[in-house]
Amino acid sequence: MSALPPGSTIGILGGGQLGRMLSLAAARLGLKCHVYSDVPGGAADVAAASTVAPYENTNAVRAFAGSVDVVTYEFENVPLAAAAAAGEAAPIRPGPKALAVAQDRLKEKSFVSALGIPVAPFAAVDDDASRDAALLAIGESGILKTRRFGYDGKGQVRIRNAAELAPAFETLRRAPSVLEGLVPFAYEVSVLVVRSLAGEIRTYDIPLNTHKDGILDTSTVPSPLPPAHAARASDIAGAIATALDYVGVLGVEMFYLPDAPEPLVVNEIAPRVHNSGHWTMDACLTSQFENHIRAVAGWPLGPTGRHSDVTMTNLIGHDVDHWQALAAEPDSALHLYGKPDARPGRKMGHINRLKPRT
Ligand code: AMP
């Protein structure tokens, strides 16, 4: 289990801002990145090499993997056939099991719940019969979510009464879905956990997350989560990482219900670096990006401790037009992703506003 020496090349499936920030972190450690994406630009602008080809082109994926020392990924919808093709030519970390579980809400909820970890009540909705059965099992108010390809609140419809379920299923074009019971949470938190090749686990401090129009708006650290519950949240994330035999950074999104017997309910897992961990770039010695690179390259993990308080704010769409004012702010770090057009809802960058640690 030897570490890849500086000069080695990490292949990244996916070419968005997460791949870009992974490439920058790798470069700082003397490692190169080769980005494989179906569109040019993005992460490829800062990587040592790039391939632009469809993920469905398994021959291209295999050739890419054959030219690098290890393969990782920066989005959870990497087709499993592409991950398998990459795995034939290079180690792939995290392994494809994490992808298979995270790509499908039903598998994800079943997997987490089988570990004895609380999730929202859920039932599969595949057809009229299972739809009606789900209503009986879950009750009249909930959220119908597609099993696959949902993100940032897309692919889901809120149900307020029984009559709304059938039209909601039609709105989702009868895609295989899950009906979830509503969780009356006080707020949402996420745990960024990193697991090394040798199985060592470290977690970052837990941010409080707010959303706007279904998209992450801010992550603030420290969160008001009491220490005992923060420890429980970290244990839950560690247990999931271990059960997946995971290598790298895993994001675990949770609902927090302070007075419930089980105060932390897992909503979603993201088998990659996560938007709610972008604050680690400036408030920690080792960012989530560097620790992901360290883990997949077989290096020792870096410290996850935090030296500052911080609020990360996403710059969505035209928020980025204020880049000059943002760049002039004191005690802040601006990160722009180099995307050409500021479409509404598009993540264009983020700003980390720091304060001395309280
Ligand atoms: P998701 O795409 O699963 O991350 O859901 C997007 C957002 O919808 C979450 O961040 C929550 O704010 C809300 N949400 C999702 N599932 C539930 C639930 N079961 N109960 C209450 N709110 C939810």
Side-chain angles (χ1 to χ4, degrees), residues 87-323:
E88 287 166 21
I92 177 157
R93 299 174 189 150
K97 186 176 178 186
L99 278 181
V101 168
Q103 284 180 359
D104 181 332
R105 287 189 195 272
L106 185 61
K107 277 196 190 143
E108 179 181 57
K109 291 213 166 357
S110 308
F111 181 83
V112 173
S113 151
L115 297 175
I117 296 168
V119 297
F122 66 98
V125 175
D126 297 311
D127 48 27
D128 291 354
S130 54
R131 182 196 66 200
D132 296 342
L135 199 60
L136 290 177
I138 304 301
E140 294 209 349
S141 64
I143 303 184
L144 187 67
K145 302 180 179 179
T146 57
R147 283 173 59 172
R148 301 172 63 81
F149 301 117
Y151 67 98
D152 288 345
K154 296 192 174 68
Q156 49 183 270
V157 183
R158 186 83 56 127
I159 312 294
R160 285 172 208 82
N161 55 58
E164 287 187 353
L165 183 58
F169 191 37
E170 302 305 321
T171 302
L172 298 180
R173 296 163 187 256
R174 301 178 71 86
S177 298
V178 285
L179 180 63
E180 279 186 35
L182 277 187
V183 177
F185 59 84
Y187 53 85
E188 296 181 67
V189 296
S190 54
V191 181
L192 282 309
V193 58
V194 57
R195 187 168 179 273
S196 74
L197 197 52
E200 189 197 348
I201 286 183
R202 295 188 183 184
T203 50
Y204 287 94
D205 279 356
I206 297 176
L208 165 76
N209 300 322
T210 64
H211 298 82
K212 216 191 256 175
D213 303 326
I215 303 174
L216 183 70
D217 181 28
T218 65
S219 293
T220 299
V221 187
S223 73
L225 203 60
H229 289 165
R232 168 81 181 131
S234 299
D235 287 350
I236 286 174
I240 295 172
T242 301
L244 290 170
D245 198 19
Y246 197 87
V247 178
V249 169
L250 173 76
V252 183
E253 298 176 23
M254 301 181 192
F255 300 130
Y256 180 55
L257 302 86
D259 303 320
E262 291 281 9
L264 292 148
V265 173
V266 170
N267 177 33
E268 226 172 43
I269 64 174
R272 51 172 171 78
V273 285
H274 194 257
N275 195 169
S276 69
H278 289 2
W279 59 271
T280 61
M281 297 174 90
D282 301 297
C284 298
L285 272 188
T286 316
S287 72
Q288 62 162 349
F289 300 100
E290 180 174 333
N291 257 334
H292 185 82
I293 293 292
R294 282 172 174 252
V296 302
W299 286 35
L301 300 180
T304 50
R306 173 174 63 81
H307 53 68
S308 298
D309 290 356
V310 58
T311 293
M312 185 281 319
T313 303
N314 267 337
L315 303 174
I316 306 291
H318 285 288
D319 292 351
V320 76
D321 296 350
H322 308 292
W323 61 270

